Amino acid sequence: MSTEGAPMTETAQDLEREGDIAADFLEELLDIADLDGDIDIDVDGDRAALEIVGGELGHLVGRDGEVLDALQELTRLAVYRETGVRSRLMLDIGGHRAAIRRRLVDEANAAVDEVKAGAGEVAMAPMSAFERKVVHDVVAAAGLVSESEGTGSARHVVVRSASA
C-alpha cells in the first residue's frame, strides 16, 4: 500500500494494520496447506480488503463461496485476537467476489431501470448479506430506495421509487 501524499488518518492506519495482520494470518494458512498464492492488501472505503491471487485456489472458494466466507470469518477473528476490535475486512480469492459484484451491479441496474420505467417495485432473488449490500449501494446511487425483506435463506432486496 502506498502511503505517499496526504497524511494518513488513524482510521486508515488502523485499516492498514488490520490488512497486515490478516495477510500474515492468511500466509500462515497457505503455508500450512502447502498452497501457492500471493496476497494483495488494500483499503476499500472503511474496510481492509485482501485478495489471494494465483495458483489453483478454487477449492478455497468452495461451493457458492462457503469456504471463502469461512476463511473471511477466521481472518476477522485473527485480527480481533490481535487488536481487540471487530474487523469488517473483506476477503476475495481469485476474483470470486469481484465477479459476483459485477453481476449484481448489472442485476441491480436492471431492477432500477424497471422501477424507473413504471414498475411499482421489483423483488430480487434471495441473496447473502454481502450481495444485498452491493445491491443497496447501486440502488441508492440511482436515487431509488431498497429494503431487505424475508428471513434466512429467503432474505432478498426489494427496489422501489423514492416516492413510493
Side-chain angles (χ1 to χ4, degrees):
M1 285 180 286
S2 174
T3 57
E4 295 177 5
M8 293 179 55
T9 65
E10 182 175 276
T11 302
Q13 290 171 340
D14 291 343
L15 293 175
E16 273 196 21
R17 181 166 181 253
E18 279 186 24
D20 290 339
I21 293 167
D24 289 345
F25 174 77
L26 291 167
E27 285 174 357
E28 287 180 39
L29 279 178
L30 290 173
D31 285 345
I32 290 168
D34 196 28
L35 296 171
D36 291 327
D38 294 320
I39 300 172
D40 293 337
I41 307 169
D42 199 3
V43 172
D44 183 13
D46 61 350
R47 63 175 60 188
L50 290 92
E51 182 176 9
I52 302 174
V53 294
E56 295 292 322
L57 301 170
H59 56 287
L60 290 179
V61 172
R63 189 187 60 183
D64 297 326
E66 290 173 341
V67 176
L68 171 56
D69 290 341
L71 285 173
Q72 177 176 277
E73 192 56 33
L74 286 172
T75 305
R76 287 175 173 177
L77 289 171
V79 170
Y80 177 76
R81 184 186 69 220
E82 292 289 321
T83 65
V85 176
R86 177 84 172 124
S87 174
R88 296 181 57 242
L89 73 84
M90 184 64 66
L91 175 62
D92 197 0
I93 297 176
H96 177 78
R97 286 197 203 276
I100 289 172
R101 182 182 302 270
R102 285 189 299 273
R103 177 183 55 82
L104 287 168
V105 166
D106 290 345
E107 290 177 13
N109 281 324
V112 164
D113 291 345
E114 281 185 57
V115 171
K116 286 184 174 180
E121 65 181 36
V122 174
M124 300 183 71
M127 56 187 76
S128 70
F130 159 74
E131 294 168 330
R132 290 192 310 272
K133 169 81 167 91
V134 171
V135 171
H136 288 307
D137 290 347
V138 170
V139 171
L144 300 181
V145 295
S146 58
E147 291 181 58
S148 292
E149 295 182 357
T151 59
S153 63
R155 196 139 173 91
H156 62 281
V157 175
V158 177
V159 180
R160 298 180 177 91
S161 70
S163 61

